[in-house]
C-alpha cells in the first residue's frame, strides 16, 4: 500500500487584541506533528491569510520554519490580490523564509469572468517572473474558486517547477483526471481537501489529504491515511463520520475548530479576524456533540488520541 500523508491547513491563533499568539502557534505546530502530520500548509485560508499583513505572513511562516526545523516539508501561500509583478515579488519573499514550496492561489491569477486562456497566460507569466522557485497551486474558494484543467496541470507539472496541488474540485472525475495527467512526475503531489471522497481519492492515487477536518481531529485524518486501503468496517465508519459532519465542521469555521482544540486543552481561543464566531448555544451544542462522537469513534477503532487525551 502506498504511503499517504496528511498536510494540515494551519490555523492562526490570536490573542485578545488579535495579535498572533506565537506561544500557542508553537504548541499547535507540535500538536500537528505529534498527531502524525507529514507536512504543513502555512499561510492558507484556514490561517485567515487575507486578514494578515504581508509582514505577519512572512514573520509567522518564518517562525513555523524555525520551529519545525526540517522535520517535515512546509508549503505556504505566497500570492495576494495585486498585479502579477507584485505577486511574483512576494512569492520570492515567501520562498526566502525557508519553505519547500510556495503556493499560488488560482483565483488570484485572473478575474472570475476572464476566459481560461487569460488565466493560463497569467500562470505562465508568473512562472517566468519567479525564476526557479518551486510552486504549487491551491484552488482556494476565496475570492472565487477557479479549478485547474487536468491537461493544463499536467503541462505545468512537466516543467519541473510545480511540486504541489491542493485540490478542491469536489469531484472524483476531476481528481482522477489530474492524477492521470501528472502521473509521470516524480516530485509532484496532489492532496485532496474534500473528505466526502477521501478514501476513493487516496485509492485513486492522490498523495493524501489536506483538509479543514484535520484542525479538529488530526490524528483521525492520519489514521485514515494509514488505513484507507483496508477492507474494513472501521475505515467505512471513519469515512462516514467525516461525510456526515461536513456541515457542522464548515458552518462556523475556523472558530469552530478553535473551540474544539480549546476543549482538547490546547490553550487556543476562538478569536478570529475573519468574522467567524459561534453565534448561539445551538452552535456550541452541535460542536459538543461532534466532539462526543469523535471520542466514541476513537474508542471503537482504538485510535491513539495523543497530546491532550488526559483533558478529553
Amino acid at each position: 500500500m502506498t504511503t499517504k500523508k496528511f498536510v494540515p491547513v494551519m490555523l492562526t491563533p490570536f490573542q485578545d487584541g488579535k495579535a498572533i499568539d506565537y506561544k500557542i502557534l508553537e504548541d499547535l505546530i507540535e500538536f500537528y506533528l505529534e498527531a502524525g502530520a507529514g507536512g504543513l500548509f502555512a499561510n492558507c485560508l484556514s490561517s485567515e491569510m487575507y486578514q494578515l499583513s504581508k509582514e505577519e505572513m512572512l514573520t509567522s511562516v518564518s517562525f513555523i520554519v524555525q520551529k519545525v526545523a526540517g522535520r517535515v516539508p512546509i508549503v505556504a501561500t505566497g500570492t495576494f490580490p495585486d498585479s502579477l509583478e507584485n505577486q511574483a515579488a512576494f512569492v520570492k519573499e515567501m520562498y526566502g523564509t525557508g519553505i519547500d514550496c510556495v503556493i499560488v492561489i488560482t483565483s488570484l491569477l485572473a478575474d472570475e469572468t476572464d476566459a481560461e486562456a487569460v488565466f493560463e497566460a497569467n500562470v505562465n507569466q508568473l512562472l517566468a517572473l519567479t525564476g526557479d522557485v518551486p510552486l504549487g497551486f491551491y484552488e482556494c474558494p476565496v475570492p472565487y474558486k477557479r479549478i485547474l484543467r487536468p491537461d493544463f496541470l499536467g503541462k505545468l507539472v512537466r516543467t519541473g517547477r510545480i511540486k504541489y496541488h491542493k485540490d478542491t474540485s469536489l469531484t472524483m472525475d476531476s481528481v482522477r483526471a489530474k492524477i492521470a495527467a501528472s502521473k509521470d512526475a516524480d516530485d509532484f503531489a496532489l492532496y485532496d481537501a474534500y473528505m466526502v471522497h477521501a478514501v476513493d481519492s487516496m485509492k485513486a492515487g492522490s498523495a493524501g489529504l489536506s483538509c479543514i477536518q484535520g484542525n479538529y481531529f488530526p490524528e483521525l485524518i492520519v489514521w485514515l491515511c494509514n488505513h484507507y486501503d483496508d477492507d474494513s468496517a472501521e475505515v467505512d465508519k471513519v469515512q462516514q463520520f467525516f461525510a456526515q459532519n461536513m456541515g457542522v465542521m464548515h458552518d462556523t469555521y475556523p472558530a469552530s475548530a478553535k473551540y474544539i482544540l480549546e476543549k482538547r486543552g490546547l490553550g487556543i481561543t476562538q478569536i478570529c479576524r475573519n468574522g467567524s464566531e459561534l453565534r448561539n448555544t445551538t452552535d456550541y451544542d452541535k460542536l459538543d456533540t461532534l466532539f462526543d462522537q469523535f471520542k466514541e469513534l476513537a474508542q471503537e477503532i482504538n485510535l491513539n488520541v495523543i497530546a491532550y487525551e488526559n483533558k478529553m
Side-chain angles (χ1 to χ4, degrees):
M1 183 175 72
T2 305
T3 301
K4 307 296 181 180
K5 293 182 179 180
F6 164 52
V7 179
V9 283
M10 296 185 67
L11 297 170
T12 300
F14 296 110
Q15 299 171 348
D16 286 345
K18 294 191 177 180
I20 296 174
D21 190 328
Y22 282 96
K23 172 61 175 69
I24 301 302
L25 180 56
E26 183 174 1
D27 292 343
L28 187 61
I29 292 166
E30 296 306 320
F31 179 62
Y32 290 134
L33 296 183
E34 192 171 356
L40 295 174
F41 188 166
N43 195 45
C44 54
L45 192 61
S46 290
S47 311
E48 301 173 70
M49 63 182 180
Y50 290 125
Q51 286 74 45
L52 300 178
S53 68
K54 288 194 288 184
E55 181 180 357
E56 286 175 320
M57 292 180 191
L58 294 169
T59 301
S60 60
V61 172
S62 295
F63 178 86
I64 292 164
V65 170
Q66 177 190 359
K67 296 302 178 181
V68 170
R71 285 177 285 175
V72 297
I74 301 169
V75 302
T77 304
T79 57
F80 59 97
D82 208 327
S83 67
L84 281 175
E85 291 76 13
N86 287 342
Q87 289 192 53
F90 193 65
V91 163
K92 293 176 183 178
E93 284 191 76
M94 185 59 75
Y95 189 56
T97 63
I99 59 175
D100 296 87
C101 176
V102 181
I103 303 300
V104 175
I105 303 299
T106 55
S107 56
L108 295 182
L109 293 180
D111 291 336
E112 189 169 7
T113 55
D114 284 340
E116 184 68 13
V118 173
F119 167 71
E120 294 184 6
N122 288 344
V123 171
N124 289 324
Q125 184 180 351
L126 184 71
L127 263 66
L129 290 169
T130 50
D132 59 356
V133 175
L135 300 178
F137 291 97
Y138 171 25
E139 297 164 336
C140 183
V142 179
Y144 73 96
K145 187 183 289 190
R146 183 177 282 270
I147 302 299
L148 280 175
R149 284 182 26 237
D151 61 329
F152 183 52
L153 176 62
K155 289 179 182 178
L156 294 171
V157 169
R158 286 191 290 276
T159 68
R161 290 280 307 282
I162 309 305
K163 309 299 182 182
Y164 190 101
H165 176 66
K166 178 177 173 178
D167 194 88
T168 67
S169 64
L170 311 185
T171 72
M172 277 306 303
D173 286 346
S174 178
V175 170
R176 289 191 182 98
K178 289 173 182 172
I179 291 169
S182 58
K183 64 181 179 180
D184 296 327
D186 294 328
D187 192 20
F188 169 77
L190 182 150
Y191 290 87
D192 204 335
Y194 193 42
M195 287 303 295
V196 169
H197 61 218
V199 170
D200 288 342
S201 175
M202 288 188 284
K203 286 183 176 180
S206 69
L209 304 171
S210 186
C211 50
I212 70 166
Q213 288 80 0
N215 282 324
Y216 296 82
F217 315 117
E219 58 271 75
L220 191 57
I221 306 291
V222 172
W223 184 95
L224 195 60
C225 287
N226 291 336
H227 294 274
Y228 73 94
D229 212 21
D230 297 351
D231 184 15
S232 72
E234 291 180 340
V235 170
D236 293 340
K237 284 182 180 179
V238 174
Q239 175 68 90
Q240 186 178 33
F241 169 79
F242 286 118
Q244 289 180 338
N245 287 295
M246 288 289 288
V248 67
M249 288 182 163
H250 279 81
D251 187 26
T252 55
Y253 182 82
S256 51
K258 292 180 178 182
Y259 171 67
I260 291 294
L261 294 183
E262 184 181 21
K263 284 176 68 72
R264 298 191 64 175
L266 194 63
I268 195 171
T269 70
Q270 298 172 41
I271 298 171
C272 297
R273 287 188 185 177
N274 69 353
S276 170
E277 62 180 358
L278 304 187
R279 301 157 298 201
N280 49 48
T281 56
T282 300
D283 288 340
Y284 283 96
D285 290 345
K286 287 179 179 178
L287 291 167
D288 290 342
T289 299
L290 173 71
F291 190 43
D292 289 341
Q293 291 174 350
F294 163 71
K295 289 187 286 186
E296 292 172 6
L297 180 58
Q299 289 184 335
E300 287 181 33
I301 66 174
N302 295 314
L303 177 68
N304 180 25
V305 179
I306 57 174
Y308 297 93
E309 59 184 333
N310 62 315
K311 299 187 180 184
M312 289 177 57

